[in-house]
Amino acid sequence: KNEVEQSPQNLTAQEGEFITINCSYSVGISALHWLQQHPGGGIVSLFMLSSGKKKHGRLIATINIQEKHSSLHITASHPRDSAVYICAVSELRGSNYKLTFGKGTLLTVNP
Amino acid sequence: NAGVTQTPKFRILKIGQSMTLQCTQDMNHNYMYWYRQDPGMGLKLIYYSVGAGITDKGEVPNGYNVSRSTTEDFPLRLELAAPSQTSVYFCASSNRRRSYEQYFGPGTRLTVT
């Protein structure tokens, strides 16, 4: 079973700062997902990637398959970015429709 | 499209009571999932289904049951509720055409006292 570790667990930033959240996993995967959960809210998928880098607005996700590591970056952070960010991975073979989740990183961006 | 809908949003149960959490998706996804989310823990898979009529256990299935009689609906049944089942429950769906990207419902907050 894959072990998914996220760091840091909690992160507080000032508005405008550059944010990095890290995710590492133990076993080869077919894809890595970054999800966002607002307080008391539902969960939305931000990115799904299996190699390289993806960008959407101020969010950038990168993955290094050899090092089994991914990062989520937020440029010019804003208080509305405050949320829990969750990393999840799907298996390389067989049940690649199932995800294993990290515990999440709570991001608070202060004005 | 409404996406994935769940009812109820909140529920308080007494120990030993039973209830069904409803989940419906209108995206014609084959794959559906039930998760629970406890404070400080990652989402844990309770049950999943790869299509109508097919269900299987996830990591934490004890105390729960599911059925999948249609593509759209995937209800989760709690029999003899226990305080350990106090949690937030999320339903999700996916399909192969979108590389199994999962779409989540809004969640059900359940308290068992």
Side-chain angles (χ1 to χ4, degrees), chain A residues 31-34 45-50 54, chain B residues 98-101:
Chain A
L32 184 141
H33 303 244
W34 282 104
S45 177
L46 296 174
F47 294 104
M48 186 172 58
L49 64 167
S50 54
K54 286 191 176 181
Chain B
R98 288 195 56 95
S99 302
Y100 306 114
E101 178 183 10

Side-chain angles (χ1 to χ4, degrees), chain B residues 42-73:
Chain B
L43 288 152
K44 300 290 186 191
L45 182 64
I46 304 171
Y47 270 94
Y48 66 97
S49 169
V50 301
I54 307 169
T55 63
D56 209 345
K57 296 177 181 179
E59 287 178 83
V60 290
N62 291 345
Y64 307 95
N65 272 303
V66 293
S67 59
R68 183 98 183 268
S69 55
T70 66
T71 299
E72 294 77 21
D73 299 306

Side-chain angles (χ1 to χ4, degrees), chain A residues 1 31 33 35 37 40-48 84 86 90 95-104, chain B residues 31 33 35 37 40-45 48 50 57 59 90 94 98-107 109:
Chain A
K1 180 172 156 43
H33 303 244
L35 308 159
Q37 183 177 24
I43 300 168
V44 295
S45 177
L46 296 174
F47 294 104
M48 186 172 58
V84 175
I86 302 169
S90 52
S95 308
N96 57 349
Y97 47 84
K98 290 196 285 184
L99 299 180
T100 301
F101 295 83
K103 293 181 180 179
Chain B
Y31 298 83
Y33 316 82
Y35 298 99
Q37 185 180 44
M41 304 295 292
L43 288 152
K44 300 290 186 191
L45 182 64
Y48 66 97
V50 301
K57 296 177 181 179
E59 287 178 83
F90 288 96
S94 71
R98 288 195 56 95
S99 302
Y100 306 114
E101 178 183 10
Q102 293 196 12
Y103 294 78
F104 287 81
R109 186 173 293 274

Side-chain angles (χ1 to χ4, degrees), chain B residues 11-24:
Chain B
R11 183 74 186 265
I12 298 174
L13 276 184
K14 293 194 186 312
I15 294 171
Q17 286 185 322
S18 301
M19 77 164 293
T20 299
L21 280 64
Q22 301 292 346
C23 175
T24 300

Side-chain angles (χ1 to χ4, degrees), chain B residues 2-6 23-27 32 91-93 103-106:
Chain B
V4 181
T5 57
Q6 289 182 239
C23 175
T24 300
Q25 53 91 10
D26 62 359
M27 297 173 283
M32 295 188 74
C91 179
S93 71
Y103 294 78
F104 287 81

